[in-house]
Amino acid sequence: MNRNTRFMLGLGMVVAGGGFFVARSIQRKKLFAEISGAIGYQGSNIDNYDKYFNPNYWSDETGKPETYKLEDYSKLVEWADDLEGAFSYTNDDEEEIYGVLRQIPDGVALSQVSDVYQDRHNEDLKEEIKGLDDDEVKRVADILSQYPPYRQVI
């Protein structure tokens, strides 16, 4: 075998190997999408949680029992101010944002926080979060995916 033949043979092996890994990756993503759809996983798309960011969601009892739990106004102000302090033009404090969002117990409470945030800081909380890097927004969506829509008062 001459040098050109060996080079072409090596290149062919690299292309075939790379093709295998690309095809396998596509298969896995497709399988994940099918499984996620079957179990109802909403995943890392923050737009799936629009209702939780709606400042009116907490006051609309449609689809919620009459006795769902609301948060104390002082706690809402604390969370809203902590979130505002974590956002910055130069460098956001992502860990602070994640920490505050983990403290919020459900979708109704996030709606209350969005309402207070908008009133106190004249900003839309969801738009502020969407201003983060894509991987950070996905992490926020993962946190929100753990929220129940509301908590019932017992």
Side-chain angles (χ1 to χ4, degrees):
M1 270 203 266
N2 65 20
R3 186 175 176 179
N4 240 0
T5 306
R6 284 186 292 199
F7 175 76
M8 293 304 283
L9 185 59
L11 182 63
M13 290 174 68
V14 168
V15 168
F20 169 78
F21 287 116
V22 167
R24 187 74 175 142
S25 174
I26 291 170
Q27 286 176 335
R28 286 183 179 174
K29 284 183 182 178
K30 184 178 177 184
L31 181 61
F32 177 76
E34 288 176 21
I35 292 171
S36 297
I39 63 173
Y41 176 70
Q42 294 185 354
S44 300
N45 185 353
I46 198 164
D47 291 327
N48 291 334
Y49 307 101
D50 278 345
K51 65 182 178 182
Y52 295 168
F53 285 103
N54 181 346
N56 298 316
Y57 175 69
W58 71 271
S59 60
D60 176 20
E61 293 185 23
T62 307
K64 296 186 282 291
E66 294 175 13
T67 56
Y68 60 93
K69 191 169 186 177
L70 297 175
E71 288 297 321
D72 235 16
Y73 185 76
S74 61
K75 191 68 177 166
L76 298 172
V77 168
E78 179 185 333
W79 286 332
D81 290 348
D82 288 349
L83 285 168
E84 173 63 19
F87 291 111
S88 169
Y89 288 108
T90 55
N91 187 24
D92 299 316
D93 186 353
E94 297 83 12
E95 293 305 319
E96 175 73 12
I97 294 167
Y98 305 147
V100 171
L101 290 174
R102 283 187 190 104
Q103 292 175 39
I104 298 172
D106 59 22
V108 168
L110 180 59
S111 174
Q112 289 181 280
V113 171
S114 291
D115 192 13
V116 170
Y117 190 89
Q118 196 165 14
D119 286 346
R120 290 178 62 84
H121 305 291
N122 295 320
E123 298 285 341
D124 182 0
L125 180 57
K126 182 179 177 192
E127 291 306 314
E128 291 279 346
I129 290 173
K130 286 178 113 178
L132 299 170
D133 294 336
D134 287 345
D135 59 324
E136 296 163 351
V137 173
K138 287 179 182 177
R139 195 162 168 198
V140 167
D142 287 339
I143 293 169
L144 299 181
S145 73
Q146 298 171 19
Y147 283 8
Y150 56 85
R151 292 167 297 142
Q152 200 166 359
V153 175
I154 299 172

